Amino acid sequence: MSMKLIHAQLRAELRAGAGMLMPGAGNALAARFIERAGFRSLMVSGAAVANSYLGMPDIGLVSVTELAQHVAAVREAVSLPILADADTGFGNALNTRRTVQLLERAGANAIMLEDQTYPKRCGHFDGKGVVPTQEMVSKIKAAVDAREDDGLMILARTDARAVEGFEAALDRARAYQAAGADFLFVEAPLTREELLAIPREVPGIHMCNMVIGGKTPLLPREELASAGYAAICYANAALQASMLAMERVLGHLHQHGSIEGAEDQLMMFAERQQVLDGAGFKALEQRYA
């Protein structure tokens, strides 16, 4: 499928009230599992890339070129629409322009930009800072101008709830929408009432993020869709599941000296090759032998 068609598919599905579930991936392997499970889109999560690639927290340590390489690997592995988490654009408006160009070429169908100061940190960490509204507006305008294909969507995220308060975060969302953002994400609302009010107070296309153990209450898909959310992101559910599984299996191996008794916690060899499209690659080998 061409990128133009994938762009169009994502735009068609991101409509107010759709409640499309969007898991996050930190690498191409996680992306394969997301597609295999039947989801219709995914996010390349900056936190998941930092955690799985660097083994470090989400505090702005991943570079733009490292992120682009991950997006390209995910694009090669799956045909789903990809939302790429571009953090702050990795600098000012000019840096943001180059970031959008790199990620579009890598295969992103939407790009998320946030208004934190650089280096950023996880949206559910304390101690965040945000840039002035006008600085973020300039970045959004630069991102919109940088697109080679107008079908590429720009998602504007604000972290102002933790710094300036809820009403200020809504005002920023309105300003970013007016600057040309295709859809919006108000990060880390603290209560159910705040979370449900966002699409009502700022009509448009909205995404929310369900962070297990984070600051935002976890609400069911039906309630979030009824409130008007177009997308419901679980940016790190796959990552957190894999971390727990690794800890349990490796702990069992260390304690018992073998995997015996923990076999049901591992994917078997044949299943693993199926997930990785082993048969497809074998067919290619035979084709070119």
Side-chain angles (χ1 to χ4, degrees), residues 199-218:
R200 182 181 69 246
E201 296 298 321
V202 188
I205 307 300
H206 285 269
M207 184 180 84
C208 62
N209 188 20
M210 299 286 98
V211 177
I212 297 86
K215 295 179 180 294
T216 301
L218 302 179

Side-chain angles (χ1 to χ4, degrees), residues 5 7 12 36 41 60 70 98 131 147 202 231 233:
L5 287 175
H7 288 340
R36 182 179 173 86
S41 66
H70 278 74
R98 179 168 183 261
V131 300
R147 296 182 293 195
V202 188
C233 188

Side-chain angles (χ1 to χ4, degrees), residues 145-161:
D145 288 346
R147 296 182 293 195
E148 184 174 332
D149 187 330
D150 288 343
L152 177 77
M153 300 183 74
I154 302 299
L155 167 59
R157 162 180 156 177
T158 179
D159 284 70
R161 171 63 186 90

Side-chain angles (χ1 to χ4, degrees), residues 21-236:
L21 294 172
M22 182 185 289
N27 51 46
L29 178 62
R32 282 190 179 273
F33 278 106
I34 291 169
E35 185 172 56
R36 182 179 173 86
F39 292 99
R40 298 185 61 81
S41 66
L42 65 87
M43 173 184 178
V44 174
S45 160
V49 171
N51 294 175
S52 61
Y53 175 57
L54 298 179
M56 295 179 183
D58 181 20
I59 52 174
L61 298 175
V62 175
S63 71
V64 64
T65 50
E66 289 171 327
L67 174 62
Q69 289 170 349
H70 278 74
V71 172
V74 171
R75 176 77 288 152
E76 189 172 350
V78 301
S79 60
L80 295 179
I82 296 170
L83 166 63
D85 178 0
D87 289 349
T88 64
F90 298 91
N92 62 17
L94 291 182
N95 297 113
T96 298
R97 181 182 177 88
R98 179 168 183 261
T99 295
V100 169
Q101 291 169 337
L102 285 172
L103 296 180
E104 182 174 13
R105 288 197 294 268
N109 306 105
I111 296 172
M112 180 170 76
L113 298 164
E114 65 193 59
D115 59 6
Q116 281 197 51
T117 53
Y118 183 80
K120 59 78 52 90
R121 57 181 58 223
C122 170
H124 291 255
F125 285 176
D126 294 327
K128 296 185 294 182
V130 291
V131 300
T133 300
Q134 189 54 48
E135 182 176 336
M136 181 62 176
V137 164
S138 296
K139 289 187 182 185
I140 294 168
K141 290 181 177 179
V144 169
D145 288 346
R147 296 182 293 195
E148 184 174 332
D149 187 330
D150 288 343
L152 177 77
M153 300 183 74
I154 302 299
L155 167 59
R157 162 180 156 177
T158 179
D159 284 70
R161 171 63 186 90
V163 183
E164 300 174 342
F166 184 62
E167 291 301 325
L170 296 181
D171 287 341
R172 281 177 175 255
R174 295 183 186 101
Y176 301 163
Q177 187 178 58
D182 296 291
F183 61 125
L184 304 168
F185 172 27
V186 176
E187 172 67 297
L190 299 181
T191 67
R192 175 180 178 275
E193 289 71 26
E194 286 185 358
L195 179 58
L196 297 179
I198 292 166
R200 182 181 69 246
E201 296 298 321
V202 188
I205 307 300
H206 285 269
M207 184 180 84
C208 62
N209 188 20
M210 299 286 98
V211 177
I212 297 86
K215 295 179 180 294
T216 301
L218 302 179
L219 300 184
R221 175 184 178 275
E222 294 75 15
E223 188 171 7
L224 292 168
S226 295
Y229 281 101
I232 305 162
C233 188
Y234 280 80
N236 294 301

